[in-house]
Amino acid sequence: MPSSYYLAELSATEMREAAARKPVILLPMGSFEDQGPHAPMGDYMSADRVARLIAEQASAEGTETYVAPVVPFGGADYFGYMPGGIALSQSTLRAVVDDMLECLLRHNLTRVVFINGHAGNCGVINDATQKVWLDKGIIIPALYLWRVSYALLPEIIGKEMAAKTSGHGCNPLTSIVMHLFPDLVRPEYMPSGTPAPREVWGLPVTGFTSLAIGEGSITVPLDGGDTIRNGVSKGDPHLCTAQTGAALVEKLIRIGADVAAHVVSHSDPETGKAIL
C-alpha cells in the first residue's frame, strides 16, 4: 500500500499505481468564516480530518480510499461580515468543482465522494455531480457532515440536550472541534447562555437570512452579522463537549466508510457507471 492516505503526500509512482486500482477518492470541502467567537474559523480543517479518518477506516476494511487536498474556501452565502474570512462566489466555486471532477474523470478515477463541511457548498456540489450523472451515468455522492451530525445528536445526547445545544457556533461543530482540535477552542470567548430572540426589520429572526411573519416566514438578503450576534444561533456552546464530538466523529467515520464501500460495490469497475 502507498505511504499515505493523502494524495498530496504520494509520489507520482505511488499515485500511478493507486490509480490503476481505481480507489475511492474523497474530496473534502469546508469554509473559512465565523464559527462563533470561540471556535477556529477554518471548519475545513474538520472536514479534512474526518475525511482522513474515513479513508483509514475504509482502507482497513478493504476499500482502498484516499483524500484529495481540501478546498478551504466555501461558497459565499451570508458570512461576508467576518473580517479575514475568505469565500468564493458560487460561480467561481462551481468552476473549481467542475475542474476538479474533470481532472479525476479524465483518468477514469470515477469513485469519488464529497466530504462537505459547509452549507454554502451544497448547491454547487449537487449541480456539478448531477451534470456528471446526466452526461456520464456516474453517481458521485456527497456526505454533508453537519447535516448528518445534527440528525445524530438526539441519539447521542438526548432530544432535550440536542435542542439546547444545536445551532451555528454550537453543536455539532463546536463539539467536533473540541474533540479533533482541543487546543484551538477558546472557552473564555463563549457567549453565556442561549442567545436572546432578536428582531430585524421589525420581524423576529429565525435564521441567518430568515424572518418570521404571521404564521409564515420569509428570506431576506441580509448578511449574517445583521441577524445573528457573534455567529452563535439558538444553542448554548457551553454545553458542547469533546465527548459528544468524539461520538459524532465515530459515527461519521462509520457512515463515510460505508459510503466508500457502496460506491465501489455499485459502480462498474471498468466504466465507473452506476449500477442501479
Side-chain angles (χ1 to χ4, degrees), residues 126-207:
N126 178 76
D127 292 349
T129 56
Q130 186 177 57
K131 186 177 187 300
V132 171
W133 163 247
L134 295 175
D135 290 349
K136 301 180 182 297
I138 295 168
I139 292 179
I140 298 176
L143 176 59
Y144 179 22
L145 298 174
W146 314 146
R147 178 184 295 156
V148 173
S149 295
Y150 275 120
L152 292 171
L153 273 171
E155 174 189 344
I156 294 172
I157 59 176
K159 291 183 179 180
E160 183 177 349
M161 183 60 73
K164 291 180 179 179
T165 64
S166 293
H168 193 270
C170 306
N171 266 331
L173 189 55
T174 289
S175 286
I176 287 175
V177 173
M178 285 177 164
H179 169 58
L180 295 177
F181 307 102
D183 293 341
L184 298 182
V185 179
R186 299 289 181 265
E188 66 270 23
Y189 296 144
M190 287 182 179
S192 299
T194 303
R198 294 194 68 197
E199 281 198 357
V200 172
W201 202 44
L203 296 171
V205 171
T206 56

Side-chain angles (χ1 to χ4, degrees), residues 41-54:
M41 288 175 58
D43 78 348
Y44 70 86
M45 296 187 299
S46 293
D48 185 53
R49 180 67 63 83
V50 171
R52 192 198 76 190
L53 295 171
I54 290 171

Side-chain angles (χ1 to χ4, degrees), residues 86-131:
I86 299 175
L88 304 180
S89 69
Q90 293 291 319
S91 58
T92 297
L93 184 64
R94 174 62 190 272
V96 170
V97 170
D98 282 343
D99 286 352
M100 287 164 44
L101 293 176
E102 183 179 351
C103 290
L104 295 173
L105 297 176
R106 172 184 176 180
H107 297 284
N108 203 28
L109 292 168
T110 60
R111 293 168 170 172
V112 177
V113 180
F114 282 93
I115 305 298
N116 180 33
H118 177 52
N121 298 338
C122 291
V124 161
I125 293 172
N126 178 76
D127 292 349
T129 56
Q130 186 177 57
K131 186 177 187 300

